[in-house]
Amino acid sequence: MPADATEPVVILPEVWQRPEILESLRSRNIGQLFRLIRQHTGASQTRIGIAVNLSQGKISEIMKGAIQVTSFEVIERIADGLNMPDPARMTLGLAPKGPFSTPDTAPSGQVPLPEPDVPTKYLTTFTGTSSRPVISGLRHVLTGHIQAEAIMGPPLLVNAVTSQIPLIGHVCRVTRGADRAEALNFASELLEFCGWLHQDLGDFPQATMWTNKALDYAMELGDRRVISYVLMRKSAIAIESGDHGHGLGLANAALTTPEALTSRLRAVILRTRAIANAHLGEATDSARDSESALVEATAGLSQTDSDRAPYCTPAYIAMETGATRLLLGQASTAIPIFEASRSQWTPASQARDHALFLTRMATAYAMAGDRDQACGVTEEAIPRIQALRSSRVAGQLATLRTQLSRWSMDRPVADLLTRLDLLAESFFLPAPRPPEGER
């Protein structure tokens, strides 16, 4: 190793102001960022790798565009390793390390850094007396993000959502009186959604971190419905990350006061508990919870109270019930459940959930040995999957491919498997390991 390989990468403040650097940060193009840093500092790939705790080979692949960096944890590590200043961090979509600074307070003799995307001067003078318009505006933005995410998945939204967190955190710190409850409620919803984005990217540590912060706001708010919903989200993350017993415990905690919840909230929590029980092999308990969830979801069609689970329809519960049967190795009982709700999925349905539904149904047919039905449903699912970037869908694709591979000697199935491989590669996401019952 060359003698200077371990020397730190020193990046002058003015480099972070260059338009091409700012563009690479805004677009989260880490490969371009590394190329520009090497150009402006002369640092080798080895030195950059040591700074950000990545191998030289990995740095080379990133710089060539062979690997796209999407993990929030890796991006945070890169920002820390390069000693990125707060305005640059915030342009990248990360929270600042220290207090906000403005060009007026730049150290003597240094070129002032550009103001961050978050309006620093506005924040420093914000007292909370007019927080409601700010929260209202951010809520409109969040509503749009939620609608967009259900159609195209999380990668294009996670940066924008994360960049709003410092602002809403400041709003909560300074808001008092009647508006404080609304500020806490929105902060909990925003951070819980941020946690969901990372969960659907397969980044469970970041998902847990943001959801824990959402629970902090929910506990301060003291709203039982909000607390229960966030506990359900923590349960879902624990289950997907493999901690099934903890997930079951969190689902039970979310149902501590069922009478305080809406029908849809009870339904989505019962569905989560059913999945945990299926992972644990508790078939009777899982079936009981699934049946209760369907009753509650049906009642939820006529509920007037708003909540955070408008997506929890009978068709959604049927999809999740079918998934529990797959986990338990009961494909023959999953198929009629899927077929019974198939007509309820309309073109206006949430794209990711519909794609997940079809992929699970194809998996059930494949597990049951029905090649023609499995291939037919897979063909129906492929067009709905192509625009998505979802870890859950990627994981179900991996399971489906494993089940279809038993017919890999058949030419039509072999061609379909090739198309699935190309589709999986386009996700740029790690496919979760298929659960034991689905292999």
Side-chain angles (χ1 to χ4, degrees), residues 75-411:
I75 291 173
E76 181 90 29
R77 191 166 76 230
I78 290 170
D80 291 344
L82 297 177
N83 198 25
M84 197 175 291
D86 283 349
R89 290 177 61 88
M90 295 171 73
T91 302
L92 187 58
L94 302 176
K97 281 287 189 181
F100 294 118
S101 61
T102 67
D104 295 332
T105 60
S108 176
Q110 293 187 13
V111 178
L113 292 168
E115 291 194 39
D117 291 339
V118 177
T120 300
K121 291 183 178 180
Y122 174 69
L123 284 179
T124 58
T125 59
F126 185 67
T127 62
T129 56
S130 57
S131 62
R132 185 170 290 276
V134 176
I135 297 169
S136 177
L138 290 176
R139 184 171 290 285
H140 282 297
V141 174
L142 178 59
T143 299
H145 286 332
I146 292 172
Q147 293 170 345
E149 190 274 336
I151 298 171
M152 63 185 183
L156 297 179
L157 296 171
V158 66
N159 188 16
V161 172
T162 305
S163 69
Q164 295 174 6
I165 291 175
L167 174 57
I168 194 61
H170 187 81
V171 168
C172 288
R173 284 193 293 273
V174 301
T175 302
R176 300 290 183 270
D179 290 338
R180 182 162 180 78
E182 178 61 21
L184 293 171
N185 183 50
F186 178 75
S188 174
E189 186 174 1
L190 177 67
L191 270 71
E192 178 268 312
F193 181 61
C194 188
W196 160 249
L197 293 176
H198 284 92
Q199 178 184 349
D200 205 34
L201 285 169
D203 189 345
F204 299 124
Q206 286 294 319
T208 300
M209 182 193 74
W210 291 117
T211 310
N212 283 340
K213 292 180 183 293
L215 184 60
D216 289 342
Y217 283 118
M219 294 297 291
E220 185 177 353
L221 177 65
D223 187 311
R224 187 64 237 180
R225 293 181 180 179
V226 176
I227 293 170
S228 290
Y229 187 80
V230 179
L231 282 171
M232 181 278 297
R233 291 288 305 111
K234 282 174 59 67
S235 172
I237 294 168
I239 293 168
E240 283 195 30
S241 64
D243 196 350
H244 307 136
H246 184 47
L248 177 61
L250 288 168
N252 286 331
L255 273 176
T256 301
T257 55
E259 68 281 353
L261 309 179
T262 64
S263 295
R264 287 194 303 242
L265 286 176
R266 287 192 292 269
V268 77
I269 297 169
L270 285 163
R271 149 271 192 188
T272 306
R273 195 166 72 178
I275 294 172
N277 276 317
H279 276 290
L280 294 168
E282 301 292 342
T284 301
D285 290 342
S286 180
R288 178 203 63 215
D289 286 337
S290 292
E291 291 171 6
S292 299
L294 183 58
V295 170
E296 294 287 0
T298 303
L301 293 175
S302 59
Q303 79 175 49
T304 56
D305 289 356
S306 61
D307 55 33
R308 294 190 186 178
Y311 57 86
C312 191
T313 62
Y316 177 85
I317 293 299
M319 175 184 71
E320 299 290 83
T321 300
T324 64
R325 298 294 194 274
L326 293 182
L327 290 170
L328 292 164
Q330 301 172 359
S332 60
T333 62
I335 290 171
I337 294 172
F338 285 132
E339 287 290 359
S341 65
R342 191 174 187 177
S343 62
Q344 298 177 42
W345 293 92
T346 66
S349 301
Q350 291 193 333
R352 181 189 46 249
D353 286 344
H354 194 183
L356 191 60
F357 167 80
L358 290 171
T359 311
R360 286 173 172 171
M361 184 161 65
T363 302
Y365 274 119
M367 289 176 66
D370 192 332
R371 181 195 61 184
D372 292 342
Q373 285 283 9
C375 291
V377 179
T378 301
E379 291 284 3
E380 185 181 348
I382 286 176
R384 301 185 179 279
I385 296 171
Q386 288 173 333
L388 293 172
R389 296 294 182 272
S390 165
S391 178
R392 289 196 305 161
V393 176
Q396 195 63 49
L397 271 180
T399 302
L400 174 58
R401 195 204 183 287
T402 299
Q403 294 297 327
L404 288 174
S405 63
R406 73 181 71 179
W407 300 295
S408 60
M409 298 304 294
D410 295 346
R411 182 59 182 271

Side-chain angles (χ1 to χ4, degrees), residues 34-47:
F34 284 167
R35 291 193 298 271
L36 291 169
I37 287 173
R38 188 174 187 186
Q39 174 186 332
H40 291 296
T41 67
S44 66
Q45 292 180 356
T46 299
R47 285 177 62 193

